[in-house]
Amino acid sequence: MATLRKADSYCLGLESTADDFSVGILSFKGDILANEASMFMPETGGIHPREAARHHAEVAGKVLSEALRKAGIQQREIKIIAFSQGPGLGPCLRTGATAARALACYLQVPLVGVNHCVAHIEIGKLITGAKDPLTLYVSGGNTIVAAFEAGRYRVFGETLDISVGNCLDVFAREAGLRQKIGEPLGALVEKLAARSQNFVSLPYTVKGMDLSFSGLLSAAIELLNSKKYSVEDLCFSLQEVVFSMLAEVTERALAHTEKPEVLLTGGVAANKRLQSMLEALANEHNAKFGVVPKQYALDNGAMIAWTGILTYQHGLSTSIEKSFVKLKWRLDEVYAPWVGG
Amino acid sequence: MLFKKGAEASLYIEEWQGRKVIMKQRLPKAYRLPTLDEAIRTHRTVREPQSIHKAKEAGVPTPTIYLVDITSANIVMEFIEGKQVKQILNDLSQAKRRSLCRHIGVLIGRLHSHGIMHGDLTTSNMILTSHGKVFLVDFGLSERSNELEARGVDLHLMKRALQSTHYRYVKKCFEAVMAGYSEVVGRNTTEDVLNKIQEIERRGRYVSER
């Protein structure tokens, strides 16, 4: 019976940077009680920010009550509300922020604005047990190689143009693939790629620890339109080139930072080929390898709640006046006093 | 003896014909598709000595190449005795740091004016000898180009390396690098390159000025 249980401290986290609206509830000790999500699925094309935001507003109540029901906690046990303050799509971020402000005012608890990219790393550390990893964060919006150094996460490498997930998604759409619930475009590319062994040469663009995907994408689309190669061959080749580039910059950053662990996260982390490449390179450098499982690698409320707890426990919170969303909030702008070392 | 295991190559210190040398071996990457792997390793093994030689013509100290074996992706070159700039830059006095960065800028300017893009300008790839001479090493990612875009990217990488590893001194260090650069390529070109760097930065994800 719930009434017999001693009241505990929990954080409720809201995530709404892009196509997912998600609510996570965690105890201050790091137990994950709930992590509910609803994904916006466009009929055609990519994510339209305003349509995604409308979806978030529509499902917010439902996702929130489902998370609270699953967690089975009392209202007064929620000690803080955390929300993703950026980076991301403006209308989507604002919808989540509005819900977060309302909740914080209603429950009269502090509000904590969280950086979405920091949250991906923190939940990855919590889930995999990594302490001081070099992180490769790859998704539809981000392509970042980061590690902690003197007070904050530093970006060692990143894309110079589009993200890797964006590159794969646009190619998939050009090839006529359609995403389904539980089967994103990246998974479709992976499936087709597994049916080919025929490598077609594509531009390989690595600049030190940075990468560029836009030229590669154009070249792949050009080959697709030339009808000289099958979609399977091109998916296979695109994956091989793109992931080899990611592996190379990760390896370079690993050699440079000499971190003891490699952490792979973000939506693209679900790809088995990428996982096997990163695992092999981590082994070669005697670094531990950890991949964040899908439910915590995709955008999720749990990561926001957890980072909210870490932030709050170090005396930081966000006043309502300062809770405006930051569309272009870089990972390396965040002071992270909770990370040791 | 393994000296350094880098990202794409292992460096061994060996004795070769009575000299202390570095043997740079680009070993196959098991995680990479063999066709792609071989293409990358061969390309870089050919490109690196060419660029190192060109850099010498441009007046930039680089290790002397003794032997290139393309089939095994192996290069034997002079061992440069000294310290990586990465290791010492943060501990120098302000004046010394500035003059070292200015000098690095001069070297980059010489490379660029001879159409050589280093491709991986980090302070790990710069070696300061006890005589105060700076050697540039690791030309595996180098490219030949005379385009402004390529110069911008090359220097953007330098800036990024300073930001991640020498975050306390980024601004002053980079200004000094560009001052040295300007001495070689002139003020107008430097202006153009600086504008290009800004443009490149704005193209990236999540840039607050955009």
Side-chain angles (χ1 to χ4, degrees):
Chain A
M1 289 212 305
T3 44
L4 292 177
R5 189 170 49 83
K6 221 179 114 216
D8 216 334
S9 299
Y10 298 98
C11 173
L12 185 147
L14 294 166
E15 155 61 32
S16 71
T17 48
D19 54 347
D20 281 300
F21 182 84
S22 175
V23 177
I25 299 175
L26 268 80
S27 76
F28 277 29
K29 281 176 275 176
D31 306 311
I32 302 170
L33 274 63
N35 190 32
E36 292 301 299
S38 169
M39 194 184 140
F40 166 66
M41 188 80 62
E43 290 285 307
T44 55
I47 309 165
H48 189 298
R50 258 180 291 123
E51 283 170 20
R54 191 188 306 145
H55 159 268
H56 296 349
E58 279 165 14
V59 301
K62 205 179 96 213
V63 177
L64 201 54
S65 48
E66 187 57 22
L68 285 165
R69 194 187 63 77
K70 280 221 171 127
I73 56 166
Q74 297 163 40
Q75 225 175 61
R76 65 186 167 86
E77 292 178 296
I78 296 176
K79 295 291 189 283
I80 39 174
I81 298 290
F83 72 106
S84 50
Q85 198 171 1
L89 306 171
C92 301
L93 285 169
R94 274 177 220 113
T95 308
T98 306
R101 282 183 211 112
L103 280 169
C105 290
Y106 175 69
L107 297 169
Q108 296 192 314
V109 295
L111 186 64
V112 182
V114 167
N115 179 290
H116 177 88
C117 304
V118 170
H120 268 292
I121 299 177
E122 290 303 344
I123 195 78
K125 284 160 67 184
L126 178 71
I127 300 285
T128 64
K131 296 272 174 293
D132 184 20
L134 176 81
T135 304
L136 175 64
Y137 165 33
V138 276
S139 69
N142 291 283
T143 306
I144 291 174
V145 184
F148 188 81
E149 207 81 58
R152 53 189 80 212
Y153 288 104
R154 312 267 165 193
V155 175
F156 285 89
E158 65 186 320
T159 177
L160 290 166
D161 39 59
I162 58 173
S163 77
V164 56
N166 196 196
C167 174
L168 294 171
D169 284 358
V170 170
F171 178 80
R173 272 189 221 109
E174 289 287 329
L177 306 177
R178 290 280 300 275
Q179 67 173 344
K180 294 183 217 94
I181 296 203
E183 203 169 37
L185 289 167
L188 296 171
V189 171
E190 185 176 3
K191 218 196 246 173
L192 290 177
R195 291 189 203 144
S196 169
Q197 284 290 322
N198 184 20
F199 182 70
V200 185
S201 181
L202 288 165
Y204 181 101
T205 319
V206 160
K207 310 269 180 191
M209 285 184 255
D210 283 351
L211 315 128
S212 159
F213 297 105
S214 61
L216 166 60
L217 174 61
S218 303
I221 292 173
E222 216 166 277
L223 289 179
L224 178 74
N225 294 338
S226 78
K227 309 249 188 278
K228 275 195 260 177
Y229 306 96
S230 71
V231 177
E232 285 84 354
D233 290 348
L234 292 175
C235 283
F236 170 69
S237 309
L238 184 63
Q239 271 202 174
E240 287 302 320
V241 171
V242 160
F243 296 160
S244 295
M245 285 162 59
L246 289 172
E248 181 175 350
V249 294
T250 307
E251 196 171 3
R252 187 159 294 124
L254 190 61
H256 185 75
T257 60
E258 295 174 352
K259 292 286 179 188
E261 299 150 327
V262 175
L263 183 69
L264 174 62
T265 192
V268 185
N271 190 296
K272 292 279 186 294
R273 179 68 179 124
L274 177 60
Q275 288 178 9
S276 77
M277 281 176 147
L278 282 218
E279 182 166 19
L281 85 80
N283 287 341
E284 211 182 300
H285 288 261
N286 297 317
K288 271 198 218 153
F289 175 67
V291 57
V292 183
K294 223 165 162 183
Q295 68 200 112
Y296 303 114
L298 294 170
D299 293 352
N300 64 89
M303 68 180 194
I304 303 298
W306 178 234
T307 311
I309 291 167
L310 296 172
T311 310
Y312 182 71
Q313 285 180 331
H314 278 78
L316 304 172
S317 63
T318 311
S319 66
I320 299 282
E321 295 73 34
K322 294 223 166 115
S323 66
F324 47 83
V325 299
K326 305 175 187 174
L327 276 60
K328 301 195 168 135
W329 194 13
R330 280 181 65 88
L331 170 69
D332 47 13
E333 289 168 29
V334 183
Y335 171 54
W338 58 85
V339 189
Chain B
M1 186 190 77
L2 184 67
F3 172 61
K4 166 100 182 134
K5 189 162 170 54
E8 54 143 4
S10 294
L11 302 181
Y12 299 87
I13 297 182
E14 303 282 343
E15 214 189 88
W16 185 84
Q17 308 281 332
R19 299 167 202 262
K20 190 176 178 186
V21 297
I22 281 282
M23 205 162 91
K24 182 167 186 171
Q25 207 156 25
R26 289 190 162 84
L27 294 165
K29 297 278 174 201
Y31 62 76
R32 223 157 32 195
L33 192 74
T35 332
L36 181 59
D37 185 62
E38 208 190 297
I40 291 172
R41 289 189 298 122
T42 310
H43 177 78
R44 289 179 184 171
T45 306
V46 173
R47 179 57 57 84
E48 179 158 27
Q50 286 174 341
S51 294
I52 282 181
H53 182 72
K54 271 272 166 200
K56 281 190 199 301
E57 286 180 356
V60 175
T62 50
T64 300
I65 303 287
Y66 296 132
L67 185 87
V68 181
D69 182 348
I70 296 167
T71 30
S72 62
N74 219 337
I75 302 174
V76 177
M77 63 182 111
E78 182 187 4
F79 176 79
I80 307 295
E81 203 90 50
K83 286 198 168 120
Q84 283 181 320
V85 170
K86 175 191 166 187
Q87 294 166 338
I88 51 127
L89 191 66
N90 290 346
D91 303 325
L92 293 177
S93 72
Q94 205 176 315
K96 281 203 171 133
R97 190 162 45 238
R98 190 182 320 128
S99 90
L100 178 58
C101 287
R102 198 199 54 79
H103 182 58
I104 288 167
V106 169
L107 298 181
I108 299 172
R110 288 181 190 160
L111 284 184
H112 283 190
S113 52
H114 283 73
I116 311 157
M117 304 300 117
H118 182 277
D120 192 14
L121 286 171
T122 67
T123 47
S124 311
N125 290 334
M126 299 165 185
I127 295 169
L128 178 67
T129 67
S130 53
H131 308 295
K133 206 166 164 184
V134 177
F135 278 73
L136 295 193
V137 298
D138 196 357
F139 282 72
L141 294 181
S142 63
E143 277 172 21
R144 307 296 312 279
S145 174
N146 286 308
E147 282 177 36
L148 197 55
E149 168 80 21
R151 294 179 178 202
V153 170
D154 218 23
L155 280 160
H156 169 65
L157 294 183
M158 178 80 241
K159 195 172 170 185
R160 292 287 314 283
L162 293 172
Q163 276 165 350
S164 55
T165 313
H166 311 283
Y167 31 87
R168 281 190 194 90
Y169 314 109
V170 184
K171 200 165 172 281
K172 287 225 163 100
C173 283
F174 193 65
E175 274 168 14
V177 167
M178 292 313 293
Y181 189 76
S182 173
E183 283 173 32
V184 182
V185 305
R187 271 182 50 195
N188 289 345
T189 308
T190 304
E191 278 292 302
D192 292 344
V193 173
L194 280 170
N195 288 334
K196 199 63 176 178
I197 294 173
Q198 214 172 29
E199 187 193 317
I200 290 161
E201 283 169 356
R202 284 189 184 157
R203 246 181 261 155
R205 306 289 300 179
Y206 309 131
V207 185
S208 43
E209 300 91 73
R210 188 171 61 197

